[in-house]
Amino acid sequence: MKKVAVIMGSDSDLPVVEKAITTLKEYDVPIEVHVYSAHRTPEQAREFAINARKNGFGAIICAAGKAAHLAGAFAANTTLPVIGIPVKSSTLDGLDALLSTVQMPAGIPVATVAIDGAANAALIAIEILSVSDESLADRLQAARNKATETVLAKDSAVAAKYNS
Ligand code: RP5
């Protein structure tokens, strides 16, 4: 199975990023986690991105806050899918990171999730790997089925309490 890279701009992003890590581990996806910054360690970030495909990665998750150009910088240096997590780490409540991450010009895409949306970032990466891995596809479907059952059980409970 291809690996997923989980990159964060600072270790201060880790409380948010941990949800992506735990989700990927739940699906037994091999991961590599790094702290690389587009502005503090630009050479290391570039080196990792350039070599990611030949090093066995299938997708790259990049989490960053403030003027968050980490995902864009990675996308500039690889044709692997890059998923951006805007992190709420500033006085602007993550809106700065959201706009910095999502507003990529045509040609260099970053698939951007919600502010602090680390679980969905992991799920998109898993969905990408599932295109060529049927057991992952089955596990994703099983999780969806379970979510449906959970909501239907809640519906029954609420309906039983309030409907006459
Ligand atoms: C961004 O700046 C990081 O991704 C982090 O969200 C934010 C603050 O970084 P630290 O000053 O906490 O290292 O580059």
Side-chain angles (χ1 to χ4, degrees):
M1 192 190 298
K2 296 279 188 194
K3 295 182 284 183
V4 173
V6 182
I7 314 294
M8 66 205 93
S10 167
D11 62 349
S12 66
D13 299 322
L14 197 49
V16 169
V17 173
E18 256 166 1
K19 189 67 197 164
I21 295 170
T22 54
T23 302
L24 289 160
K25 282 182 179 286
E26 272 166 27
Y27 281 84
D28 303 308
V29 171
I31 59 171
E32 247 187 61
V33 183
H34 293 284
V35 178
Y36 291 138
S37 162
H39 40 267
R40 291 169 176 156
T41 62
E43 280 164 29
Q44 289 81 356
R46 181 172 178 275
E47 198 64 20
F48 187 96
I50 284 172
N51 294 309
R53 189 181 290 273
K54 81 162 190 281
N55 285 338
F57 291 93
I60 300 174
I61 294 172
C62 291
K66 298 185 175 172
H69 40 238
L70 183 65
F74 265 74
N77 286 299
T78 181
T79 52
L80 287 173
V82 174
I83 302 151
I85 307 171
V87 175
K88 179 177 166 178
S89 65
S90 78
T91 48
L92 296 180
D93 279 346
L95 188 57
D96 44 1
L98 173 63
L99 297 177
S100 301
T101 306
V102 79
Q103 287 287 56
M104 287 298 290
I108 312 292
V110 169
T112 306
V113 296
I115 296 168
D116 290 353
N120 271 358
L123 288 171
I124 291 173
I126 296 163
E127 288 174 356
I128 289 166
L129 299 193
S130 78
V131 170
S132 56
D133 188 316
E134 231 170 90
S135 78
L136 269 187
D138 290 345
R139 291 173 71 180
L140 284 166
Q141 189 57 54
R144 292 287 178 97
N145 296 347
K146 197 172 160 200
T148 301
E149 281 166 23
T150 303
V151 173
L152 290 178
K154 289 177 180 175
D155 172 57
S156 296
V158 170
K161 189 170 176 185
Y162 296 107
N163 296 353
S164 47

